[in-house]
Amino acid sequence: MTESTDAPKSRTSRKRLQYGEGREALLNAAVRVVARGGLRRLTYRAVAEEAGVTHGLVVHHFGSRDALIEETLAHTIRTSLSTSALEPGTGKVADFSAGLSEMVTADPDLQAFQYELLLESRRRPELLPQIRALYDQYFDATQRELTRMLPAGADKALTRLVFAALDGLVLHQLVLGEPEVTDAALEELRSLLRLLDASGDGAGDRTAEDG
């Protein structure tokens, strides 16, 4: 028997999934499912349907729902770190978080997933160690770049303050839109960082030409 031309989209989608794409497709599907319906909607079948595969493939790749949650959170943080310019490595204030608003505009579901898990960890404390461990990657990246920019380096308090500002801007843009407001606020944050680097002893921006 051959498949009818009006077969469900999820069945026809399975044919297009190439070898090696399964894991990435499932992680991205899990992000979309949670962003739309919250963590309670995250099931093997929901992720499989979103990705256009069988639910057995989800089980094969992740083994448990908890493993799927943990690896999807790690995936969102890796993606955010690579697209937000949080740690460009240049030590120039002008480069700090230069792609933040574009990141939110391009993939809001990625950020919504993280906030859903943050809120869910209040109801499910067992998620908190994963949240702490994975968010430490954000804090570490922020501190490393601040240390490159500022003569006196950056302690934990300054690092958390700067990252909280960035995190708040992402949340506001996610809910309210207005990427231009995000960009303007980021430039104000960079101005404050330039004041901390005003001595000129650090690796930050030293001239108007640097930004």
Side-chain angles (χ1 to χ4, degrees):
M1 293 179 65
T2 59
E3 288 190 351
S4 169
T5 56
D6 60 352
K9 182 179 179 181
S10 62
R11 294 179 65 189
T12 57
S13 296
R14 290 171 194 157
K15 294 181 178 180
R16 295 195 295 269
L17 196 64
Q18 302 299 314
Y19 180 78
E21 294 178 349
R23 191 178 193 84
E24 186 78 8
L26 292 175
L27 291 171
N28 290 327
V31 166
R32 295 192 296 272
V33 168
V34 173
R36 288 199 302 264
L39 194 61
R40 290 176 176 81
R41 295 292 301 274
L42 187 68
T43 65
Y44 288 150
R45 291 192 182 278
V47 173
E49 182 178 354
E50 180 68 28
V53 299
T54 64
H55 78 280
L57 188 61
V58 187
V59 179
H60 169 73
H61 277 293
F62 302 103
S64 71
R65 183 172 179 270
D66 286 344
L68 174 61
I69 291 170
E70 182 174 351
E71 293 196 38
T72 305
L73 179 58
H75 167 69
T76 65
I77 291 181
R78 285 194 304 270
T79 303
S80 294
L81 285 171
S82 66
T83 58
S84 67
L86 182 63
E87 189 185 5
T90 65
K92 293 184 177 181
V93 176
D95 296 336
F96 185 60
S97 294
L100 193 70
S101 64
E102 290 87 350
M103 176 192 70
V104 181
T105 299
D107 197 350
D109 286 352
L110 201 73
Q111 309 309 316
F113 176 90
Q114 293 183 32
Y115 291 122
E116 286 286 345
L117 257 68
L118 285 170
L119 293 174
E120 187 65 21
S121 68
R122 288 176 55 85
R123 297 180 287 269
R124 295 180 53 190
E126 66 271 18
L127 291 174
L128 194 55
Q130 298 172 19
I131 295 291
R132 286 185 181 278
L134 291 167
Y135 259 69
D136 278 344
Q137 296 181 49
Y138 279 145
F139 302 143
D140 290 346
T142 303
Q143 186 168 32
R144 286 193 298 268
E145 194 61 24
L146 288 174
T147 299
R148 293 184 185 102
M149 291 188 290
L150 304 177
D155 60 13
K156 182 177 180 179
L158 178 59
T159 297
R160 292 296 181 94
L161 176 63
V162 171
F163 181 77
L166 299 175
D167 204 27
L169 290 174
V170 169
L171 179 58
H172 291 171
Q173 185 178 333
L174 185 65
V175 176
L176 303 175
E178 303 177 329
E180 68 281 1
V181 174
T182 301
D183 291 337
L186 275 172
E187 189 51 45
E188 287 299 318
L189 176 60
R190 294 187 193 108
S191 294
L192 295 175
L193 292 174
R194 289 185 182 98
L195 292 176
L196 293 177
D197 188 37
S199 68
D201 293 331
D205 298 346
R206 296 186 180 89
T207 68
E209 292 181 354
D210 289 330

